C-alpha cells in the first residue's frame, strides 16, 4: 500500500498516533507487504522474523504472535501491554525498539519493529565468557539512559535481562520484550508476578510489589553478570535461586572492578527505596545519582548514542 514507509517520514512526536492509526486501518498494511526472511528468535508466545519491506527495502523485525496460543494460555493481554508500552514509549529513544505497525490476520498478531541485527546481549556474554569492564560500563550506561527514559514515560520493564537487551547493527543496545511491562496510569490489565528468577527483585518475591526500583535491581544483576560471566543469584532450582534473592545473598568473584563492585552493591539492596537512583527527594524518577557514580566517570552522556561502541572483548 501507498502508506508503507510513511511512518519513517513522520515527525517523531507523531509516531504514536501514526502507529495507532495504522493499526486501526488494518487493511492498509499486511504481512504481504514484506519479504520474510530468517527466524531471529523465539519467545514463549511469539516468533520473531527478519523482514524487508517490499516497497522501501527497509529491514525490520516482525514479531508474530499466535492468537490461539495466546488465548489458550490466557495471555492475550500481554500482547496488549506490549503494544501499549511501545506506543507510550514512542520512537524518540534510540535504545528502545520502535514499533512501526501492528496488524493481524485470522491466526496471528504482527508487530513490525526495528531490527536489532546483532541479536541478544546474552549470546555476546556466552561467546566472550564475560565482558571487559569498558564494555560493561558502556552497556550499563546505555541501560541507565534507557531505564530513565522508560520510567519518565511511566513504563516499568520488569524483565530486564541479557536476553531482552538486543544489539543493533552498530552494537548499541536496543531493549525489547515489553509483554510483561507495567504501564502506569493505563487502562490495561497488568500481570501480577513477572520476571525471571535470576533478575527478579526481592520485593516481587516477598510481597508481589514492583516499582521503578525493580528495574534498578535487575540492572545490578546484569552488570554483575556482564563483568563476571555468571549470575549474581543462582541456585540449583528456581526456589533456591529465589531464596538467595530474598536475602540479597551473592558473592563477588576475586577479580571485579572496584567501582563496578560499589555500584552493584548500591543496586542489589533489599529495600527498593535505598537503591541508587530510587526514591530521591526531588523526584523518584531522577537518576542523577546513578549517572554520577564513579563507575561512569569516563562516560560522556551527551554522546552515548552516537559514539561508536567499544571493541567487544
Ligand atoms: P519471552 O518468552 O522472553 O517473553 P517474547 O515472546 O516476548 O519472549 P521477545 O523476547 O520479544 O519474545 O523475542 C524473542 C526473541 O526474538 C528475542 O530474545 C530476540 O532474540 C529476538 N528478537 C526480538 N525482537 C527482535 C528485534 N527487534 N530484532 C532482532 N531480534 C529480535
Amino acid at each position: 500500500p501507498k502508506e508503507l514507509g510513511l511512518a519513517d517520514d513522520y515527525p517523531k512526536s507523531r509516531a504514536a498516533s501514526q502507529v495507532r492509526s495504522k493499526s486501526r486501518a488494518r487493511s492498509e498494511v499486511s504481512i504481504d507487504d514484506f519479504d520474510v526472511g530468517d527466524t531471529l528468535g523465539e519467545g514463549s508466545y511469539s516468533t520473531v522474523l527478519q523482514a524487508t519491506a517490499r516497497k522501501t527495502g527497509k529491514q525490520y523485525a516482525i514479531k508474530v504472535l499466535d492468537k490461539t496460543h495466546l488465548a489458550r494460555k490466557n495471555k492475550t493481554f500481554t500482547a496488549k501491554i506490549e503494544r501499549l508500552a511501545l506506543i507510550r514509549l514512542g520512537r524518540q529513544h534510540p535504545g528502545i525498539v520502535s514499533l512501526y505497525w501492528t496488524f493481524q490476520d485470522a491466526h496471528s498478531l504482527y508487530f513490525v519493529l526495528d531490527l536489532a541485527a546483532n541479536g541478544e546481549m546474552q549470546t555476546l556474554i556466552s561467546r566472550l565468557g564475560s565482558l571487559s569492564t569498558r564494555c560493561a560500563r558502556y552497556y550499563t550506561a546505555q541501560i541507565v539512559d534507557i531505564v530513565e527514559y522508560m520510567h519518565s514515560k511511566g513504563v516499568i520493564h520488569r524483565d530486564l535481562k541479557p536476553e531482552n537487551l538486543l544489539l543493533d547493527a552498530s552494537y548499541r543496545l536496543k531493549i525489547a520484550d515489553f509483554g510483561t511491562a507495567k504501564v502506569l496510569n493505563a487502562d490495561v490489565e497488568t500481570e501480577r508476578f513477572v520476571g525471571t528468577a535470576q533478575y527478579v527483585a526481592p520485593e516481587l518475591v516477598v510481597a508481589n510489589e514492583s516499582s521503578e526500583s525493580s528495574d534498578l535491581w535487575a540492572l545490578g544483576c546484569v552488570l554483575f553478570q556482564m563483568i563476571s560471566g555468571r549470575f549474581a543469584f543462582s541456585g540449583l532450582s528456581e526456589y533456591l535461586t529465589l531464596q538467595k534473592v530474598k536475602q540479597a545473598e551473592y558473592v563477588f568473584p576475586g577479580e571485579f572492578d572496584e567501582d563496578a563492585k560499589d555500584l552493584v552493591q548500591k543496586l542489589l539492596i533489599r529495600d527498593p527505596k535505598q537503591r541508587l537512583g530510587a526514591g530521591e527527594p526531588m523526584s523518584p524518577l531522577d537518576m542523577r545519582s546513578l549517572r554520577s557514580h564513579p563507575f561512569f566517570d569516563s562516560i560522556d552522556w551527551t554522546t552515548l548514542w552516537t559514539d561508536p561502541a567499544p571493541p567487544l572483548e
Side-chain angles (χ1 to χ4, degrees):
K2 272 197 237 85
E3 287 81 2
L4 191 60
L6 191 64
D8 295 333
D9 305 319
Y10 259 62
K12 301 273 188 213
S13 59
R14 292 180 62 186
S17 56
Q18 171 71 6
V19 168
R20 246 179 258 124
S21 65
K22 278 287 160 198
S23 62
R24 221 178 281 134
R26 272 179 207 141
S27 57
E28 288 180 12
V29 183
S30 80
I31 194 67
D32 297 334
D33 294 306
F34 300 88
D35 286 320
V36 173
D38 294 340
T39 299
L40 294 164
E42 307 259 4
S44 328
Y45 309 99
S46 69
T47 302
V48 181
L49 306 167
Q50 185 158 2
T52 308
R54 291 204 168 131
K55 190 156 185 260
T56 61
K58 188 174 168 187
Q59 292 209 304
Y60 296 94
I62 303 190
K63 183 163 174 168
V64 186
L65 298 114
D66 183 316
K67 285 188 192 178
T68 314
H69 188 47
L70 282 176
R72 207 182 291 137
K73 299 275 177 184
N74 272 332
K75 292 283 177 181
T76 304
F77 69 95
T78 66
K80 284 194 187 138
I81 292 171
E82 177 144 41
R83 182 170 172 276
L84 193 70
L86 286 167
I87 289 171
R88 174 82 71 89
L89 293 166
R91 291 166 52 197
Q92 291 95 317
H93 200 289
I96 295 171
V97 290
S98 294
L99 176 65
Y100 293 87
W101 298 277
T102 58
F103 46 84
Q104 56 181 308
D105 58 25
H107 304 289
S108 309
L109 304 173
Y110 300 87
F111 288 18
V112 183
L113 302 160
D114 268 332
L115 173 68
N118 279 309
E120 300 176 8
M121 165 69 72
Q122 180 56 54
T123 313
L124 193 64
I125 298 176
S126 305
R127 199 170 73 218
L128 299 174
S130 62
L131 303 188
S132 66
T133 303
R134 185 176 171 208
C135 272
R137 175 183 295 110
Y138 172 77
Y139 287 120
T140 306
Q142 292 205 326
I143 303 171
V144 166
D145 198 66
I146 296 168
V147 165
E148 182 170 33
Y149 174 77
M150 285 191 314
H151 291 178
S152 77
K153 295 283 177 188
V155 176
I156 308 173
H157 189 283
R158 303 201 301 174
D159 199 17
L160 287 180
K161 57 179 176 179
E163 289 90 336
N164 291 333
L165 300 170
L166 307 183
L167 298 158
D168 72 9
S170 309
Y171 281 93
R172 298 190 184 105
L173 274 192
K174 279 208 187 286
I175 202 165
D177 194 1
F178 288 84
T180 47
K182 189 163 164 180
V183 184
L184 303 177
N185 304 317
D187 185 18
V188 62
E189 189 183 348
T190 300
E191 199 163 10
R192 271 172 298 151
F193 183 82
V194 296
T196 304
Q198 286 83 3
Y199 309 90
V200 74
E203 62 272 18
L204 254 141
V205 183
V206 175
N208 219 340
E209 285 167 6
S210 65
S211 66
E212 284 87 352
S213 188
S214 316
D215 285 344
L216 298 176
W217 174 276
L219 174 67
C221 296
V222 171
L223 172 55
F224 181 99
Q225 189 179 345
M226 286 195 284
I227 291 189
S228 69
R230 59 178 175 80
F231 298 128
F233 302 97
S234 178
L236 290 173
S237 65
E238 187 171 293
Y239 173 80
L240 292 172
T241 301
L242 295 178
Q243 292 305 110
K244 290 186 180 181
V245 169
K246 277 203 264 185
Q247 305 306 324
E249 182 193 319
Y250 67 101
V251 182
F252 285 102
E255 264 185 42
F256 204 100
D257 177 86
E258 281 304 315
D259 288 331
K261 190 173 187 174
D262 185 77
L263 178 54
V264 169
Q265 284 169 335
K266 289 182 167 131
L267 292 168
L268 297 184
I269 292 177
R270 276 201 297 179
D271 180 354
K273 293 194 185 66
Q274 299 305 318
R275 288 176 206 144
L276 194 65
E280 291 176 359
M282 296 306 288
S283 150
L285 304 175
D286 186 341
M287 303 225 295
R288 252 174 301 182
S289 59
L290 198 48
R291 286 177 188 264
S292 53
H293 186 278
F295 183 54
F296 298 123
D297 274 357
S298 58
I299 292 287
D300 182 346
W301 295 95
T302 59
T303 55
L304 186 61
W305 296 97
T306 46
D307 284 341
L312 297 174
E313 50 192 15

